[in-house]
Amino acid sequence: MCEANVYITKNGDEELFLSSVDEVLPEGNGTWKLTSIFGEQKIINGKIASMHLVDHRIVFETTDPN
Amino acid sequence: MCEANVYITKNGDEELFLSSVDEVLPEGNGTWKLTSIFGEQKIINGKIASMHLVDHRIVFETTDPN
């Protein structure tokens, strides 16, 4: 399966946000809806910083203070 | 391998832009650098419309008149 793990960086720290993501859809205003291959959905607010699909990695960056 | 094919939609028409893409990196100002698993690089100008990784599909949309 060719899913990817989505990481989020905030102020230089990187953490796993959602694993095994299949679908990434823009919702507007910098918001994205992620859906994993297991049907789990999470909303992420930020910009795509990098994607390395062979490594199964998508990194978002956010300046969100929360 | 978990690469994806990148398609571009323009005025409702969809065409293959680059196949077997590994790396997608933002270059700023709506520009993205794509690198395939074969090392081919192309620059795309537009927004991500959708990603379906299990289907190996990333779709960009552009309103670029060219």
Side-chain angles (χ1 to χ4, degrees):
Chain A
M1 294 282 275
C2 283
E3 72 285 359
N5 299 313
V6 171
Y7 300 86
I8 191 161
T9 61
K10 194 189 302 186
N11 304 321
D13 293 324
E14 182 177 299
E15 60 185 46
L16 181 63
F17 185 78
L18 185 61
S19 59
S20 303
V21 171
D22 170 23
E23 192 177 80
V24 179
L25 295 175
E27 298 271 280
N29 293 319
T31 298
W32 302 76
K33 185 171 74 176
L34 311 178
T35 305
S36 80
I37 58 172
F38 306 111
E40 187 180 0
Q41 292 192 327
K42 287 183 84 172
I43 300 292
I44 194 168
N45 196 9
K47 293 191 302 185
I48 292 173
S50 64
M51 294 198 272
H52 293 89
L53 299 176
V54 172
D55 292 337
H56 303 259
R57 282 175 56 85
I58 299 175
V59 180
F60 282 78
E61 61 186 1
T62 179
T63 53
D64 193 344
N66 299 313
Chain B
M1 294 281 275
C2 281
E3 73 285 358
N5 299 313
V6 171
Y7 300 86
I8 191 160
T9 60
K10 194 191 302 185
N11 304 323
D13 292 326
E14 181 177 300
E15 61 185 46
L16 181 64
F17 185 79
L18 184 61
S19 59
S20 303
V21 171
D22 171 22
E23 193 177 80
V24 179
L25 294 175
E27 299 269 281
N29 293 321
T31 298
W32 302 77
K33 184 171 74 176
L34 311 178
T35 306
S36 80
I37 59 172
F38 307 110
E40 186 179 1
Q41 292 192 327
K42 287 184 85 172
I43 300 292
I44 193 168
N45 196 12
K47 293 191 299 183
I48 293 174
S50 64
M51 295 199 272
H52 292 90
L53 299 176
V54 172
D55 292 337
H56 303 260
R57 282 176 58 85
I58 299 175
V59 180
F60 282 78
E61 60 185 2
T62 180
T63 53
D64 193 345
N66 298 311

